[in-house]
Amino acid sequence: MKHTFKYFSSFCLLFSMFLGHAQETPTTTVTKEIVPEKSKTEAAKPALQEVKTDSIKTDRYGLRVGVDLYKLTRGFYDKDYKGVEFVGDWRLTKKYWLAAELGFEDKTTDDDRLNSSATGTYIKGGFDYNLYQNWLDMENLITIGLRGGFSTFSQELNSYKIYNPNPYWGEMPPIVEHQKYSGLTAGWIEVAMGLKAKVFNNVFVGFGVQLKMLVANSKPDNFDNLYIPGFNRTYDGSFGIGFNYTVSYFIPIYKKKTVIPVAPAKKAPKK
């Protein structure tokens, strides 16, 4: 009985020691690394801003030469007229052109009382100002300008009629004279208005009107200048009018670049 109790007490001691060892569970500490989050300001990428640069326009400078088609073709349908006029201009600045015209005219005036012929040459020179604002690389012109003109010519009195206040016996026959007056001169100023449009590469067509005022006129003895080459007819007083229809060709010599600044964009109002 003693031995049985001794074995039982030893078994209880071993069992209690096993229970005590089983209840000692190890504790594991898990450390979590906290990563700081990026702020919204740092996370947002900067927006790309559109940068507007100034545009560059290239202007061509050179000589434009042409001919007046009106005077050149008028002789085909007017037997009393022969003439030709050459025109030219040189671009001086962005808006100003130097301009000149050189011509020849032979005009017979058949009036009620006399018939006369004027033959001579003329030259005009001045400037044009372009009023038209071209788009991109356009080269059209709407111009207003000033000219000074000078003509040297001769007048020939072909025939005339003596005025008869009492034509009871009929009109007297015309008297054939054929008297020529040479070395005559005249000078005038004129305001020129016109337009030129580019129709092909370097080819321009244009139309112009001139308002003229005669400032000098040497007249033959006992006779008057009814027509002055370059000025037109004179029996309307000291004022005259003329026009031309031209075709010309532009010869580019050099180029200039013009910087056109771009206006800054307006900021949107804050809400």
Side-chain angles (χ1 to χ4, degrees):
M1 191 73 178
K2 285 184 178 180
H3 293 289
T4 303
F5 179 79
K6 182 178 181 180
Y7 290 142
F8 179 77
S9 58
S10 298
F11 175 75
C12 291
L13 178 63
L14 290 173
F15 184 74
S16 61
M17 291 176 61
F18 175 76
L19 289 176
H21 180 72
Q23 289 178 358
E24 292 179 4
T25 56
T27 303
T28 304
T29 304
V30 179
T31 305
K32 185 177 180 181
E33 184 179 359
I34 301 174
V35 180
E37 296 183 357
K38 293 184 178 180
S39 62
K40 294 182 179 181
T41 306
E42 293 176 353
K45 295 183 179 180
L48 296 178
Q49 295 182 355
E50 183 181 357
V51 179
K52 295 183 178 180
T53 58
D54 297 339
S55 59
I56 298 176
K57 184 177 183 297
T58 301
D59 295 322
R60 301 192 303 169
Y61 288 73
L63 177 66
R64 182 168 33 224
V65 293
V67 64
D68 180 6
L69 295 180
Y70 169 70
K71 291 183 176 62
L72 190 64
T73 59
R74 182 178 173 182
F76 296 152
Y77 58 87
D78 187 353
K79 62 182 180 62
D80 294 331
Y81 181 86
K82 293 178 182 179
V84 63
E85 180 180 278
F86 299 99
V87 298
D89 56 44
W90 173 270
R91 189 172 188 179
L92 190 62
T93 65
K94 185 176 179 63
K95 288 290 187 179
Y96 285 93
W97 275 255
L98 294 178
E101 292 87 27
L102 177 66
F104 165 82
E105 285 187 303
D106 183 352
K107 176 70 169 65
T108 297
T109 301
D110 189 10
D111 204 356
D112 293 336
R113 291 295 165 182
L114 55 86
N115 182 288
S116 65
S117 298
T119 305
T121 59
Y122 63 91
I123 185 171
K124 299 187 292 182
F127 69 91
D128 286 329
Y129 178 79
N130 185 21
L131 301 172
Y132 184 71
Q133 182 65 40
N134 284 290
W135 297 355
L136 300 178
D137 294 329
M138 294 171 60
E139 296 177 320
N140 301 326
L141 296 93
I142 299 177
T143 60
I144 183 170
L146 189 66
R147 302 279 194 281
F150 178 80
S151 176
T152 174
F153 58 99
S154 63
Q155 289 275 12
E156 184 176 359
L157 179 59
N158 300 318
S159 63
Y160 63 94
K161 295 178 182 180
I162 297 177
Y163 175 68
N164 183 10
N166 187 15
Y168 179 78
W169 302 105
E171 287 285 347
M172 296 181 63
I175 300 173
V176 179
E177 184 74 16
H178 288 298
Q179 185 175 355
K180 190 173 184 178
Y181 305 90
S182 302
L184 304 175
T185 59
W188 65 92
I189 58 175
E190 64 182 48
V191 176
M193 297 168 287
L195 59 89
K196 292 183 178 70
K198 185 167 73 171
V199 292
F200 301 108
N201 188 24
N202 296 331
V203 178
F204 291 77
V205 295
F207 177 79
V209 178
Q210 304 91 37
L211 304 177
K212 309 167 186 273
M213 184 177 70
L214 194 63
V215 295
N217 183 20
S218 61
K219 301 178 182 180
D221 296 336
N222 301 321
F223 189 51
D224 199 357
N225 294 320
L226 300 182
Y227 192 93
I228 297 176
F231 180 83
N232 215 328
R233 61 186 189 180
T234 62
Y235 48 87
D236 289 337
S238 298
F239 293 92
I241 188 171
F243 65 92
N244 58 9
Y245 179 73
T246 62
V247 58
S248 55
Y249 185 83
F250 179 71
I251 304 172
I253 306 297
Y254 62 96
K255 298 179 180 179
K256 283 186 179 181
K257 292 184 178 180
T258 304
V259 178
I260 303 175
V262 177
K266 295 183 179 179
K267 296 182 179 180
K270 294 182 180 179
K271 296 183 179 180

Coordinates of all heavy atoms in Angstrom, one line a residue, residues 175-218:
I175 N -9.1 126.3 -141.8 CA -7.9 126.8 -142.3 C -6.8 125.8 -141.8 O -6.6 125.6 -140.6 CB -7.6 128.2 -141.7 CG1 -8.7 129.2 -142.2 CG2 -6.2 128.7 -142.2 CD1 -8.5 130.6 -141.6
V176 N -6.1 125.2 -142.8 CA -5.0 124.3 -142.5 C -3.8 125.0 -142.2 O -3.3 125.9 -143.0 CB -4.8 123.3 -143.7 CG1 -3.7 122.3 -143.3 CG2 -6.1 122.5 -144.0
E177 N -3.2 124.8 -141.0 CA -2.1 125.6 -140.5 C -0.8 124.8 -140.5 O 0.2 125.2 -141.1 CB -2.4 126.1 -139.1 CG -1.3 127.0 -138.6 CD -1.3 128.4 -139.2 OE1 -2.3 128.7 -139.8 OE2 -0.3 129.1 -139.1
H178 N -0.8 123.6 -139.8 CA 0.4 122.8 -139.6 C 1.5 123.6 -139.0 O 2.7 123.5 -139.5 CB 0.8 122.1 -140.9 CG -0.2 121.0 -141.3 ND1 -0.4 119.8 -140.6 CD2 -1.0 120.9 -142.4 CE1 -1.3 119.1 -141.2 NE2 -1.7 119.7 -142.3
Q179 N 1.3 124.3 -138.0 CA 2.3 125.1 -137.4 C 2.7 124.4 -136.1 O 1.8 124.0 -135.3 CB 1.8 126.5 -137.0 CG 2.9 127.4 -136.4 CD 2.5 128.8 -136.3 OE1 1.3 129.2 -136.7 NE2 3.3 129.6 -135.7
K180 N 4.0 124.1 -135.9 CA 4.5 123.3 -134.8 C 5.2 124.2 -133.8 O 6.0 125.1 -134.2 CB 5.4 122.2 -135.3 CG 5.8 121.2 -134.2 CD 6.5 120.0 -134.8 CE 6.8 118.9 -133.8 NZ 7.5 117.8 -134.4
Y181 N 4.9 124.0 -132.5 CA 5.6 124.7 -131.4 C 6.3 123.6 -130.5 O 5.7 122.7 -130.0 CB 4.5 125.4 -130.5 CG 3.6 126.3 -131.3 CD1 2.4 125.9 -131.8 CD2 4.0 127.7 -131.5 CE1 1.6 126.7 -132.5 CE2 3.2 128.5 -132.2 CZ 2.0 128.1 -132.7 OH 1.2 128.9 -133.4
S182 N 7.6 123.8 -130.5 CA 8.5 122.8 -129.8 C 9.0 123.4 -128.5 O 9.0 124.7 -128.3 CB 9.6 122.4 -130.7 OG 9.1 121.8 -131.9
G183 N 9.6 122.6 -127.7 CA 10.2 123.0 -126.4 C 9.3 123.5 -125.3 O 9.7 124.3 -124.5
L184 N 8.1 123.0 -125.4 CA 7.1 123.4 -124.3 C 7.3 122.5 -123.1 O 7.7 121.3 -123.2 CB 5.7 123.2 -124.9 CG 5.4 124.0 -126.1 CD1 4.0 123.7 -126.6 CD2 5.5 125.5 -125.9
T185 N 7.0 123.0 -121.9 CA 7.1 122.3 -120.7 C 5.9 122.5 -119.8 O 5.2 123.5 -120.0 CB 8.4 122.7 -119.9 OG1 8.3 124.1 -119.6 CG2 9.6 122.3 -120.7
A186 N 5.6 121.6 -118.9 CA 4.6 121.8 -117.9 C 4.9 121.0 -116.6 O 5.6 120.0 -116.7 CB 3.2 121.3 -118.5
G187 N 4.4 121.4 -115.5 CA 4.6 120.8 -114.2 C 3.4 120.7 -113.4 O 2.5 121.6 -113.5
W188 N 3.2 119.7 -112.6 CA 2.0 119.5 -111.8 C 2.3 118.7 -110.6 O 3.4 118.0 -110.5 CB 0.9 118.9 -112.6 CG 1.2 117.5 -113.1 CD1 0.8 116.3 -112.5 CD2 1.9 117.1 -114.3 NE1 1.2 115.2 -113.2 CE2 1.9 115.7 -114.3 CE3 2.5 117.8 -115.3 CZ2 2.5 115.0 -115.3 CZ3 3.1 117.1 -116.4 CH2 3.1 115.7 -116.3
I189 N 1.4 118.7 -109.7 CA 1.4 117.8 -108.5 C 0.1 116.9 -108.6 O -0.9 117.4 -109.1 CB 1.6 118.5 -107.2 CG1 0.4 119.5 -107.0 CG2 2.9 119.2 -107.1 CD1 0.5 120.2 -105.6
E190 N 0.2 115.8 -108.0 CA -1.0 114.9 -108.0 C -1.1 114.0 -106.8 O 0.0 113.6 -106.2 CB -1.1 114.0 -109.3 CG 0.1 113.1 -109.4 CD 0.0 112.3 -110.7 OE1 -0.2 112.9 -111.8 OE2 0.2 111.0 -110.6
V191 N -2.3 113.7 -106.4 CA -2.6 112.8 -105.3 C -3.0 111.5 -106.0 O -3.9 111.4 -106.8 CB -3.6 113.3 -104.4 CG1 -4.0 112.2 -103.3 CG2 -3.2 114.6 -103.7
A192 N -2.2 110.4 -105.7 CA -2.4 109.1 -106.3 C -3.0 108.1 -105.3 O -2.5 108.0 -104.2 CB -1.1 108.6 -106.9
M193 N -4.1 107.5 -105.7 CA -4.7 106.4 -104.9 C -4.8 105.2 -105.8 O -5.1 105.2 -106.9 CB -6.1 106.9 -104.4 CG -6.1 108.1 -103.5 SD -7.8 108.7 -103.3 CE -8.0 109.5 -104.9
G194 N -4.5 104.0 -105.1 CA -4.5 102.8 -105.9 C -4.5 101.6 -105.1 O -4.4 101.6 -103.8
L195 N -4.5 100.4 -105.8 CA -4.4 99.1 -105.1 C -3.6 98.2 -106.0 O -3.7 98.3 -107.2 CB -5.8 98.6 -104.7 CG -6.8 98.3 -105.9 CD1 -6.6 97.0 -106.5 CD2 -8.2 98.5 -105.3
K196 N -2.9 97.3 -105.4 CA -2.2 96.2 -106.1 C -2.4 94.9 -105.4 O -2.4 94.9 -104.1 CB -0.7 96.6 -106.1 CG -0.3 97.7 -107.0 CD 1.2 97.9 -107.0 CE 1.6 99.1 -107.9 NZ 1.2 100.4 -107.3
A197 N -2.7 93.9 -106.1 CA -3.0 92.6 -105.6 C -2.1 91.5 -106.3 O -1.9 91.6 -107.5 CB -4.4 92.2 -105.8
K198 N -1.5 90.7 -105.5 CA -0.6 89.6 -106.0 C -1.5 88.5 -106.5 O -2.3 87.9 -105.8 CB 0.4 89.1 -105.0 CG 1.4 88.1 -105.6 CD 2.5 87.9 -104.6 CE 2.1 87.1 -103.4 NZ 3.3 86.6 -102.6
V199 N -1.4 88.2 -107.8 CA -2.2 87.1 -108.4 C -1.4 85.9 -108.7 O -2.0 84.8 -108.7 CB -2.8 87.6 -109.8 CG1 -3.9 88.7 -109.5 CG2 -1.8 88.2 -110.7
F200 N -0.1 86.0 -108.9 CA 0.8 84.8 -109.1 C 2.0 85.1 -108.3 O 2.1 86.2 -107.6 CB 1.1 84.5 -110.5 CG -0.1 84.3 -111.4 CD1 -0.5 85.2 -112.3 CD2 -0.8 83.1 -111.3 CE1 -1.6 85.0 -113.1 CE2 -1.9 82.8 -112.1 CZ -2.3 83.8 -113.0
N201 N 3.0 84.2 -108.3 CA 4.2 84.4 -107.6 C 5.0 85.6 -108.2 O 5.4 85.6 -109.4 CB 5.1 83.2 -107.7 CG 6.3 83.3 -106.9 OD1 6.4 84.0 -105.9 ND2 7.4 82.5 -107.2
N202 N 5.0 86.7 -107.5 CA 5.7 88.0 -107.8 C 5.0 88.8 -108.9 O 5.5 89.8 -109.4 CB 7.2 87.7 -108.3 CG 8.0 87.1 -107.2 OD1 7.8 87.4 -106.0 ND2 9.0 86.3 -107.6
V203 N 3.8 88.4 -109.4 CA 3.1 89.1 -110.4 C 1.9 89.8 -109.7 O 1.1 89.2 -109.0 CB 2.6 88.1 -111.5 CG1 1.7 88.9 -112.5 CG2 3.7 87.5 -112.2
F204 N 1.8 91.1 -110.0 CA 0.8 92.0 -109.4 C 0.0 92.7 -110.5 O 0.5 93.0 -111.5 CB 1.4 93.1 -108.5 CG 2.1 92.6 -107.3 CD1 3.3 92.0 -107.3 CD2 1.4 92.7 -106.0 CE1 3.9 91.5 -106.2 CE2 2.0 92.2 -104.9 CZ 3.3 91.6 -104.9
V205 N -1.3 92.9 -110.2 CA -2.2 93.7 -111.0 C -2.7 94.8 -110.2 O -2.9 94.7 -109.0 CB -3.4 92.9 -111.7 CG1 -2.9 91.9 -112.6 CG2 -4.2 92.3 -110.6
G206 N -2.9 96.0 -110.8 CA -3.2 97.2 -110.0 C -4.1 98.1 -110.8 O -4.2 98.1 -112.0
F207 N -4.8 99.0 -110.0 CA -5.6 100.0 -110.6 C -5.4 101.3 -109.8 O -5.3 101.2 -108.5 CB -7.1 99.6 -110.5 CG -8.0 100.7 -111.0 CD1 -8.2 100.9 -112.4 CD2 -8.7 101.5 -110.2 CE1 -9.0 101.9 -112.9 CE2 -9.5 102.5 -110.6 CZ -9.7 102.7 -112.0
G208 N -5.3 102.4 -110.4 CA -5.0 103.7 -109.7 C -5.7 104.9 -110.3 O -6.0 104.9 -111.5
V209 N -6.0 105.8 -109.5 CA -6.6 107.1 -109.9 C -5.8 108.2 -109.4 O -5.3 108.2 -108.3 CB -8.1 107.2 -109.3 CG1 -8.7 108.5 -109.7 CG2 -8.9 106.0 -109.8
Q210 N -5.6 109.3 -110.2 CA -4.8 110.4 -109.9 C -5.6 111.7 -110.0 O -6.3 111.9 -111.0 CB -3.6 110.5 -110.7 CG -2.7 109.3 -110.8 CD -3.1 108.3 -111.9 OE1 -3.4 108.7 -113.0 NE2 -3.0 107.0 -111.6
L211 N -5.5 112.6 -109.0 CA -6.1 113.9 -109.0 C -5.0 114.9 -109.1 O -4.1 114.9 -108.3 CB -6.9 114.2 -107.7 CG -8.0 113.1 -107.4 CD1 -8.7 113.5 -106.0 CD2 -9.1 113.1 -108.5
K212 N -5.0 115.7 -110.2 CA -3.9 116.5 -110.6 C -4.2 118.0 -110.5 O -5.3 118.4 -110.7 CB -3.5 116.2 -112.1 CG -3.3 114.7 -112.3 CD -3.2 114.4 -113.8 CE -3.2 112.9 -114.1 NZ -1.8 112.4 -114.1
M213 N -3.2 118.8 -110.2 CA -3.3 120.2 -110.3 C -2.1 120.8 -111.0 O -0.9 120.6 -110.6 CB -3.3 120.8 -108.8 CG -3.6 122.3 -108.8 SD -3.8 123.0 -107.2 CE -2.1 122.9 -106.6
L214 N -2.3 121.6 -112.0 CA -1.3 122.1 -112.9 C -0.7 123.3 -112.2 O -1.4 124.3 -111.7 CB -1.9 122.5 -114.2 CG -0.9 122.8 -115.4 CD1 -0.1 121.6 -115.7 CD2 -1.7 123.4 -116.6
V215 N 0.7 123.4 -112.1 CA 1.3 124.5 -111.4 C 2.2 125.3 -112.3 O 2.6 126.4 -112.0 CB 2.2 124.0 -110.2 CG1 1.3 123.4 -109.1 CG2 3.2 123.0 -110.6
A216 N 2.6 124.7 -113.5 CA 3.4 125.4 -114.5 C 3.0 125.0 -115.8 O 2.8 123.8 -116.1 CB 4.9 125.2 -114.2
N217 N 2.9 125.9 -116.8 CA 2.5 125.6 -118.1 C 3.0 126.6 -119.1 O 2.6 127.8 -119.1 CB 1.0 125.4 -118.2 CG 0.5 125.0 -119.5 OD1 1.2 124.5 -120.3 ND2 -0.8 125.3 -119.8
S218 N 3.9 126.3 -120.0 CA 4.4 127.2 -121.0 C 3.6 127.0 -122.3 O 3.5 126.0 -122.8 CB 5.9 126.9 -121.3 OG 6.1 125.6 -121.8

